[in-house]
Amino acid sequence: MTFIEVASIDDIPVRGARCVKTAFGRIAIFRTASDEIFAMEDRCPHKGGPLSQGIVHGSSVTCPLHNWVISLETGKAQGADEGAVATIPVKREGNRILIALASLQRPAA
Amino acid sequence: MRDKLVIIGNGMAPGRMLEHLLKAAPERYDITIFNAEPRVNYDRIMLSPVLSGEKEFEQIIIHGDGWYIKNGITLYKGHKITAIDREARSVISDHGVVKCYDKLVIATGSAPMILPVPGNNLAGVLTYRDLDDVHAMMLAAQSRTKAVVIGGGLLGLEAAAGLKAREMDVTVLHLMPTLMERQLDPAAGYLLQKAIEQRGIKIKTKASTKAILGNGKVEGVELADGTVIPASLVVMAAGIRPSTSLAKDAGLEINRGIVAREGMLTSDPAILAIGECAEVDGHVYGLVAPLYEMARVAALHLAGEGDTKFVHNDTPTKLKVTGIDLFSLGDFADGADRQEIVLRDPSAGIYKRVVLKDNRIVGTVLFGDTADGAWFHDLKKKETDISDMRDTLIFGQAYQGGAPLDPTAAVAALPDDAEICGCNGVCKGSITTAIAKKGLTSIDDVRAHTKASASCGSCTGLVEQVMKLALGDAYNPTAVQPVCGCTTLAHDDVRRLIKAKGLKTIPAVMQELQWATSCGCAKCRPALNYYLVCDWPDEYADDYQSRFINERAHANIQKDGTYSVVPRMWGGMTSAKELRAIADVVDKFGIPTVKVTGGQRIDMLGISKEDLPAVWADLGKAGFVSGHAYAKGLRTVKTCVGSDWCRFGTQDSTGLGIRIEKFMWGSWTPAKVKMAVSGCPRNCAEATCKDVGIICVDSGFEIHFAGAAGLDIKGTEVLGLVKSEDEALEVIVALTQMYREQGRYLERIYKWAKRIGSAEIRKQVLNDKDKRRAYYDRFVFSQKFAQCDPWSERVSGVDKHEFQPLAARAPAQAAE
């Protein structure tokens, strides 16, 4: 799997997210309170809301449009809601954050 | 190619049918719905709690917009189908939309009966059928004092109770000698009448309406005996009639309703009919349980799983008036082959009657104590022979077989297939299974997963008993509502402890108050952040990651992820220079939509996040600052032109509005705060539905508060009259500060005021001058830290990361 660098960890606020615009769609990169990094499509499975704009808590994010809670680990909607976002493999090399290139080469839905 | 399914009507029956169909055959149809009402699918039987103010419309929505989008269903809101062309298999709406179908479902429901009496078309004569009727009644209740409800059935009595809760003087007219005579025997009807009269509602039975009087609008109702009852609002609730005209024009077989057979098919096999408009074996229905059964049968047909027959089944009737317990089931007429067991306890207002035939229950009426309703229903449904318990039957389940049991034990004794929720046909076993499998702990969870208690809610008590059985001590329904799942503490406790323990950061609050999660959730973090901002204005460092995106980006996120920008226009005043600057910004950034807001400002919509700082930079050059249209904080102060221009203006309302806005902008509050100043009692600035409003009069300034014109509609209450602008400002600021210090996060002023009491608020911010001054001083102090324009800060580089996406770097660089 080829990884490409998208950010330094300092680019992302703790309990926050940034997005990367790619030719294949928007990717959200999350940083949790414990400095774990996750990446997934920046599209809520409910109505396509930009998850990178949501509030990050624990290892979940709450979508800014209608408060669906998405697990950063599995991409699955939590609670009674059903749906899932594609997650993207992430690697850390020191402060550098890399995500799996293959995931970007799949045209966005 | 998928088959095309077209549905006319979007009430509860088709909503339920689609749930079944999407489960059984999700890919089979392209689905289109035409709804004559301009809204999504909601729980019509919960309109009464909306009318009485116990619930809000949002709480009774069954399928929100998201559900239709998620399931790929096209919903035409506000489209009435005007004709069905059976040859071409198409329908046409009043807006000219034509849709072809392979299968058509008619679910047009029913229409209220309008009495054929003179004056039935006067303004002020309403029916009780949909949300529009409820809104009309709520509006009428504000300005009118006397109401007459024609019809003492289920709907009429619920409407009367709702109007009474809105403080109207209500009289119910009923044609028959006792109320709800179709569901209750005369004894229970009498008890019901007494219970309703005790609530201050007048009841006239054997009252035949002759005419509705009035000149252009309703002034009274005249009865056949010549009595005239004054009224400015008349609600007709004299029954419903299936809406069949569309089907009739299309040549389908009609009797009282649209005749439906196996699979709910009409006389045309491509067309189904369900709901209140359908007739099966000579019966039409108005209660939800049989309608849901029709929905299930129709869904089976559409999914290709065979045609079953809708079977008639008695449904219990319950009245949704808080504090009146009433249960009626089956047939309770006397007869030679029937026996009855009756229990009366006049002092407690209890009446129970069970009608037996061949030692089996055929009917039950319970008044005052309905706890055993489910048990009697179960015995009747299963046709249980009750000979062995005949002597104690009427005392209920708890008295069978020895010592009395507590209510939980009674529920424990119910078999797994006993029906708990009649509306949704949910039995005890499904609830306990869902609780165990999905780890449900709250009534809301159970509603979300099983639908039990999710329609009319009258079985909530039973569902709670089932939960108590399943969960033991883990279930405590009387506990205060905690802030969220992260804590057991309620908002008020958290606020108190923040002050008492001197907690000044979010981690400190979570540590000291034993939060169950490591860093909270999207519900508690914004609340805590607000409480800390409010309580420690000079010391607390605002945690932007705990703010909702709108307050982080200082713009309003839209459904497509773009943002909207609303600059402040002080008191709603603008100028050629400002308008020109806005026009230039719109051109320069290609902003697709420009709209005038309800708060007397201009909204620019569809701006990408990256463009926001540049848009603000240009607006800033023209003198604009953020309008905080996204904030839980001071939004707008609407004004009229007042004594500057208006021939009726008594004071400088524009000037006062601008003064208030300049003094208070930037302050954070528990929920949004909207204000207005009107220059005279004609009230052109609509100050009497605002969080805080001022009506200028000759002798000074009348200060209003606790209005609402959103989910709820509520006129303001008068706080008091003050003589000068200075005093008005001080009172308003003190009021806002009191709310800032006591309000629960997201609680608007009118809800806070209801909780605290207007008298207490008046005492503290109007009468007690020292208290008022102390509140005022604390507000002024906090403004020192709050009043900096967030837009200009960001133009000069604050939070740059928020507005720029990351750039992916070339893979070659990253390969090493």
Side-chain angles (χ1 to χ4, degrees), chain B residues 568 570 628 633-635 637 657-669 673 675 692 728-737 740 776 779 783 786-787:
Chain B
R568 216 167 261 292
W570 307 100
H628 290 92
L634 179 75
R635 297 275 178 95
V637 182
I658 293 173
R659 186 174 166 195
I660 294 170
E661 193 168 352
K662 293 217 157 161
F663 198 86
M664 299 185 73
W665 73 269
S667 57
W668 301 104
T669 43
V673 172
M675 302 192 180
V692 181
L729 183 70
E730 188 174 301
V731 170
I732 288 172
V733 165
L735 169 69
T736 308
Q737 181 66 15
R740 292 183 74 224
Y776 178 86
F779 184 87
Q783 283 297 78
Q787 276 196 334

Side-chain angles (χ1 to χ4, degrees), chain A residues 3-7 13-16 18-21 46-47 53-58 62 64-65 80 93 96 98, chain B residues 66 69 519-522 525 543 545-546 548-549 552 558-559 563 609-610 801 804-807 809 811 814 816:
Chain A
F3 280 82
I4 75 159
E5 183 179 352
V6 288
V14 179
R15 296 171 302 148
R18 297 284 297 274
C19 73
V20 191
K21 281 190 176 174
H46 175 216
K47 282 192 175 184
Q53 313 293 296
I55 290 180
V56 177
H57 47 95
T62 295
L65 293 196
E93 289 176 358
R96 299 192 307 157
L98 300 90
Chain B
I69 293 168
C519 76
C521 70
R525 286 232 311 272
D543 175 21
Q545 294 312 125
S546 293
F548 181 61
I549 182 62
R552 227 183 306 143
Q558 302 298 322
K559 63 186 239 184
Y563 289 79
K609 200 179 184 191
E610 293 94 291
H801 65 82
Q804 284 170 1
L806 292 166
R809 278 154 227 178
E816 298 308 311

